Amino acid sequence: MNAWERFYWLWEVLFGVTFVATTALVLFEGGTATDKTIALLCLAGLGVTYLARGRRLIKGPDYEHTPWLFAGVLLLFTVGAIFAAGNSSFILFLSCPVLYMTMPTKAASILTTAAVLSSPAALLVRGGLDEQPVLLPMTAILIVFSLLAGRYTTQIIAQSKGRAALIEQLEASQAEVSRLSREAGMAAERERMAREIHDTLAQGFTSIVTLTQAIESEMDTDPKAARRHLDLAARTARENLAEARAMVATRMPSALAAASLEESLRRLVERLTEETGIEASIEVGGPLPALPMATEVVLLRGAQEALSNIRKHSRAAAVSLLLSVVDGRARLRVTDDGAGFDPAEPTGGFGLAGMRARAGQVGGIVTCASEPGAGTTLELEVPA
């Protein structure tokens, strides 16, 4: 609702008070009963015309066609009342604003001038113009004032409607932005959950499948190794369950909840050796400062993804991890002597892209150097 619509009731009050006052002045004016009756009927017709059509034109939307019929009837009743009784001229305080509120400015100006001139014209017809020499200059002043006030009123109404339209557009834009933000948030959350599942549950299930296959081949030939792999599979399943519960509760990774980042990385390295026999080691460059939880999560997930790729694709014999914090940047380097690959060729996997996306969320970067047959070096760097 714009300012004009909010304060429209003030105009209604003004209309009612002026209409009643003009009617009273006509009733107490000297003159014949016939003239008074005609004036009162014209005033009544003007009021009915306003209530039946004028209010809807003023409060409603802009119409395609100019309401000439309404303006003509309004002007007819106004002029008729003024010609019948001189005190009816006070009704101009209603008719002129209504014309400006319902007609284009140019047309309203012409009709308003005609309505104001009807007062001295009526006095001229009755032969009393010479008795009121000041009426003509006052009429000229009233015409100028009406034109200026009408134009000002028209501009105010137009500005109010323009601001209301602008507010509606802004509200619609805000609603659209809210919708897009909500959809973007949902998409980001789905992507986050996809990364979490890929980096934790999917890798854990892959390990369980690998261990189960090893157990099947070792049950008859090497029961001791089968039992060791069975223990590893059970432990992996329990860790997967803990990770799933942590994801549902949106807590930190279960590994970081139970141990420090360095301890969690050492467990990952030991697990790789236990499951695959790959000679894996980790080196920490000096004591680590306290890192933000978001940084630790990115480093842990990056290490998990790198070791998972090594387990599945590299056919490496040795793997080394180097964790260090230098110049406010935490760096994790994972190197293997496996088969390598061409980083320029698309792999179709989600791991490396997910790692880069996760690192980008905290202002980090991921670089990968590899050649077919020459192993791979992956480096993850994030703010400390």
Side-chain angles (χ1 to χ4, degrees):
M1 179 181 295
N2 57 46
W4 166 247
E5 292 175 339
R6 287 200 303 270
F7 296 104
Y8 178 77
W9 65 273
L10 290 175
W11 159 252
E12 298 272 67
V13 171
L14 174 63
F15 187 97
V17 171
T18 306
F19 186 85
V20 172
T22 303
T23 302
L25 289 173
V26 171
L27 286 173
F28 291 106
E29 182 182 2
T32 65
T34 302
D35 290 340
K36 288 184 178 182
T37 301
I38 293 174
L40 292 175
L41 288 175
C42 288
L43 292 176
L46 186 149
V48 171
T49 301
Y50 171 77
L51 294 176
R53 185 63 173 166
R55 296 177 79 250
R56 200 176 350 163
L57 289 172
I58 295 173
K59 298 181 67 176
D62 296 332
Y63 289 86
E64 296 181 0
H65 305 289
T66 303
W68 289 106
L69 178 61
F70 166 78
V73 173
L74 184 74
L75 187 62
L76 178 64
F77 282 131
T78 300
V79 173
I82 292 174
F83 268 81
N87 286 344
S88 298
S89 298
F90 286 97
I91 206 64
L92 291 172
F93 288 104
L94 300 182
S95 300
C96 293
V98 170
L99 289 173
Y100 274 105
M101 284 187 276
T102 56
M103 299 285 290
T105 303
K106 184 177 180 179
S109 299
I110 295 174
L111 295 178
T112 297
T113 301
V116 174
L117 288 175
S118 66
S119 182
L123 196 60
L124 179 63
V125 170
R126 289 195 293 267
L129 185 60
D130 294 338
E131 300 176 2
Q132 300 185 21
V134 75
L135 182 60
L136 290 179
M138 289 297 298
T139 300
I141 294 174
L142 182 59
I143 290 174
V144 173
F145 175 78
S146 300
L147 295 178
L148 294 177
R151 181 173 294 274
Y152 177 76
T153 302
T154 303
Q155 291 177 349
I156 291 296
I157 295 175
Q159 290 177 359
S160 179
K161 291 182 178 180
R163 290 192 184 100
L166 180 60
I167 290 173
E168 290 180 0
Q169 292 177 359
L170 290 175
E171 290 176 348
S173 298
Q174 289 177 346
E176 180 67 11
V177 169
S178 299
R179 183 186 67 81
L180 293 176
S181 297
R182 184 167 57 253
E183 292 180 357
M186 294 172 60
E189 180 62 17
R190 286 195 295 269
E191 184 178 351
R192 184 190 70 82
M193 290 298 296
R195 285 197 302 268
E196 291 290 337
I197 292 173
H198 178 273
D199 293 344
T200 56
L201 302 183
Q203 295 178 6
F205 289 138
T206 300
S207 297
I208 292 173
V209 171
T210 302
L211 291 170
T212 302
Q213 293 173 344
I215 292 169
E216 290 178 348
S217 63
E218 295 167 345
M219 288 182 60
D220 298 329
T221 59
D222 193 349
K224 184 177 181 180
R227 282 193 297 271
R228 180 168 58 84
H229 287 154
L230 183 61
D231 292 338
L232 283 175
R235 185 168 51 173
T236 302
R238 286 192 294 269
E239 291 176 354
N240 256 26
L241 180 60
E243 287 288 355
R245 289 171 174 168
M247 288 169 57
V248 171
T250 63
R251 298 197 305 263
M252 71 180 71
S254 58
L256 292 178
S260 66
L261 174 63
E262 181 180 348
E263 293 171 342
S264 299
L265 293 177
R266 292 190 183 278
R267 289 181 181 177
L268 289 178
V269 169
E270 293 171 357
R271 175 69 61 82
L272 179 67
T273 301
E274 290 178 351
E275 292 181 359
T276 64
I278 297 174
E279 183 181 344
S281 63
I282 180 172
E283 178 182 353
V284 179
L288 296 177
L291 298 175
M293 178 53 62
T295 298
E296 291 192 346
V297 170
V298 171
L299 292 171
L300 177 64
R301 296 305 191 209
Q304 289 176 326
E305 176 61 28
L307 296 182
S308 175
N309 288 337
I310 290 172
R311 178 187 290 109
K312 291 186 290 186
H313 307 299
S314 72
R315 301 191 300 275
V319 176
S320 64
L321 275 71
L322 173 61
L323 176 64
S324 61
V325 178
V326 180
D327 298 331
R329 307 284 291 183
R331 293 183 178 88
L332 175 66
R333 180 180 298 170
V334 182
T335 305
D336 69 74
D337 61 354
F341 65 100
D342 185 359
E345 293 184 0
T347 61
F350 181 78
L352 193 56
M355 190 188 304
R356 288 196 170 98
R358 188 190 293 275
Q361 290 179 345
V362 296
I365 57 174
V366 176
T367 57
C368 182
S370 181
E371 292 182 10
T376 302
T377 297
L378 185 138
E379 186 170 296
L380 170 60
E381 181 179 319
V382 291

